[in-house]
Amino acid sequence: MNRQRQQSDVIVVGAGPAGLSAAIVAAENGLRVTVIDEFPEPGGRMLGQFHEERGHWWVGKRIADELIEQNRAQGVKIRCGVSVYGMLKVDGLWEVSTSQGTMIAPRVLLATGAAEIPMPTDGWTLPGVMSIGAAQVMSNVHYVKPGKRGLVIGVNVLAMAIARELSVSGVTLAGIVLPPSSPFAGKSALPKENLRLLMGLSHLAPSPILRFGGKFANALGMAGIVSSLFPRGGIKIWDIPLKLRTAALAINGTDRVESVTLADVNGQGEIIAGSEREEAVDFVALAGGLYPLAELASVAGCPFIYTPELGGHLPLHSERMQTPVEGLYVAGNITGVESALVAMAQGRLAAASICNDAGLYGHEGEHKVANAIEEVRRVRASALIQFHPGIPEARRKIYLLWRDTIQAGVR
């Protein structure tokens, strides 16, 4: 294969909300930017996202198209279908090894996003079983219904958001239920833990009564009590049955999904004997949540920290989106799982840091970076979709760790 060596000022890995937003700012300030992504078209997960936000619909495809157009207007090179398999710093330059040759730049921004957590369940290898994200892509990107009637296994923010999208798109859902108790499921199989999560999302509830009740119960720490009183038949959220006292035991079928075995559970997630029953469906969406897709940061030599509030292991970074590895920056869900709006603001902040470090801002650099940091804080504070509770405090601890170790010269 003919391998080419290509020179840029900045290589952005990931053409999602963070990467595209960063590329615009960097290019506006005169940097030569190349954005690469392994998927066939830019936009990332935004291509299949839409949700109701403060009286209007936020449509990810529309936002992605706007970002792509702005990138092209600034002369940014967007190369899709390109996989990155290695990164090495040589003589002050990053050599990024890709499926289409070696690309070289003094600075690299990793905006690789997040990936879905697998949810192993008895029968999950049957045709018709998919991740909740795959169902979203089928329905909202390719406009193909994943089936006639489906069931979502797993109660989390991702499941709730995409179930709403599927319902709006005309996909029939029999309900959202808990995964079976197992080492893989952990706390996600417990009614109390799931109700605690939903209480934190009470502002998203479609009913004013649910919104008030959720905030009230959350304030009093009543998750355990409320979960024991939660109706066994569940409640309807956006006309989708949410069943926090029901678990999926097995996915059944011969050549494809035909049904799911369900059972009632008590407050500890234990099966109630004699409650087993069959639910006829032809597809199942598994919702295990998201984790930062951060392998390339490890390849580049970046240290990691474990922060469950942000999805798990993620590269250590400052509030400026810098890593301890010189010339390596991060933005978006690789730094912790949040909404696309937060990822876009982080991308702009990372680009501001890159431009400042490159000396393009002059004496205004610190002011511009500080403004970008403040923008991220504002967007985060107003974000309707919060994937985990405690995100602001988790962020604060990460940045304190950076200040007390890396910034202080302790490695």
Side-chain angles (χ1 to χ4, degrees):
M1 180 179 65
N2 181 25
R3 301 182 62 82
Q4 304 174 24
R5 296 171 64 86
Q6 303 170 42
Q7 179 78 47
S8 301
D9 294 318
V10 182
I11 295 172
V12 179
V13 183
L20 292 176
S21 298
I24 294 168
V25 174
E28 284 176 343
N29 286 278
L31 294 176
R32 295 171 297 171
V33 184
T34 300
V35 179
I36 55 180
D37 197 294
E38 64 181 347
F39 290 103
E41 61 180 309
R45 286 289 190 179
M46 283 193 297
L47 298 178
Q49 294 175 348
F50 63 87
H51 60 267
E52 198 170 4
E53 185 168 311
R54 296 185 176 92
H56 73 278
W57 284 93
W58 188 91
V59 181
K61 177 67 165 61
R62 186 180 304 155
I63 303 299
D65 288 343
E66 292 173 358
L67 292 175
I68 293 165
E69 181 57 35
Q70 291 178 57
N71 269 271
R72 289 174 176 156
Q74 292 294 333
V76 174
K77 296 179 181 178
I78 301 178
R79 301 186 55 185
C80 291
V82 179
S83 298
V84 177
Y85 61 85
M87 292 178 59
L88 184 65
K89 196 78 171 289
V90 179
D91 297 329
L93 294 174
W94 283 104
E95 293 189 355
V96 180
S97 301
T98 81
S99 56
Q100 294 188 14
T102 300
M103 301 183 184
I104 299 176
R107 293 177 175 84
V108 172
L109 169 62
L110 297 180
T112 45
E116 291 190 70
I117 299 172
M119 178 76 76
T121 303
D122 188 16
W124 75 320
T125 59
L126 279 169
V129 181
M130 63 198 75
S131 70
I132 189 77
Q136 179 191 50
V137 171
M138 287 182 68
S139 177
N140 300 345
V141 177
H142 302 296
Y143 307 112
V144 175
K145 288 187 178 182
K148 295 180 180 179
R149 187 171 190 265
L151 184 78
V152 177
I153 300 177
V155 180
N156 50 54
V157 177
L158 188 69
M160 300 293 289
I162 297 181
R164 166 66 162 156
E165 293 176 6
L166 294 174
S167 177
V168 171
S169 298
V171 177
T172 301
L173 294 174
I176 305 172
V177 302
L178 301 177
S181 180
S182 73
F184 294 105
K187 292 183 178 180
S188 65
L190 302 178
K192 177 181 176 180
E193 293 299 322
N194 284 284
L195 190 59
R196 191 187 308 277
L197 169 67
L198 294 178
M199 284 178 175
L201 299 174
S202 59
H203 59 288
L204 294 177
S207 163
I209 295 176
L210 289 176
R211 286 196 291 270
F212 174 78
K215 290 178 180 178
F216 179 74
N218 196 36
L220 297 180
M222 298 170 58
I225 298 174
V226 176
S227 65
S228 65
L229 300 175
F230 198 88
R232 292 197 182 280
I235 62 174
K236 284 197 174 183
I237 303 291
W238 302 302
D239 291 327
I240 305 168
L242 172 63
K243 302 180 179 182
L244 293 184
R245 302 291 299 276
T246 301
L249 304 186
I251 304 169
N252 312 309
T254 304
D255 299 317
R256 57 177 177 81
V257 173
E258 297 173 4
S259 68
V260 176
T261 301
L262 303 177
D264 295 334
V265 298
N266 60 22
Q268 289 71 49
E270 300 167 334
I271 302 300
I272 297 175
S275 66
E276 295 86 352
R277 57 196 181 276
E278 299 294 306
E279 183 76 45
V281 294
D282 63 351
F283 79 94
V284 171
L286 304 177
L290 297 170
Y291 70 93
L293 195 58
E295 291 84 350
L296 281 179
S298 178
V299 170
C302 185
F304 274 58
I305 52 176
Y306 180 71
T307 311
E309 297 89 347
L310 292 168
H313 292 92
L314 49 101
L316 179 61
H317 60 283
S318 72
E319 194 166 12
R320 295 169 171 247
M321 303 289 105
Q322 300 163 317
T323 75
V325 182
E326 187 178 357
L328 183 69
Y329 304 78
V330 289
N333 282 352
I334 187 177
T335 74
V337 179
E338 296 192 72
S339 71
L341 291 174
V342 173
M344 291 166 66
Q346 284 186 322
R348 292 188 289 270
L349 168 56
S353 291
I354 290 171
C355 292
N356 187 43
D357 293 344
L360 299 177
Y361 285 155
H363 66 278
E364 295 183 351
E366 290 301 311
H367 178 68
K368 287 181 177 289
V369 172
N371 284 344
I373 288 174
E374 188 57 35
E375 182 198 8
V376 172
R377 292 173 179 171
R378 286 197 304 269
V379 173
R380 177 173 294 125
S382 63
L384 286 179
I385 296 180
Q386 300 279 351
F387 283 87
H388 297 278
I391 288 177
E393 177 63 17
R395 292 285 184 192
R396 189 184 70 84
K397 289 180 180 178
I398 292 172
Y399 304 145
L400 283 176
L401 176 63
W402 174 277
R403 186 196 67 185
D404 295 341
T405 56
I406 305 302
Q407 190 173 313
V410 180
R411 301 281 177 142

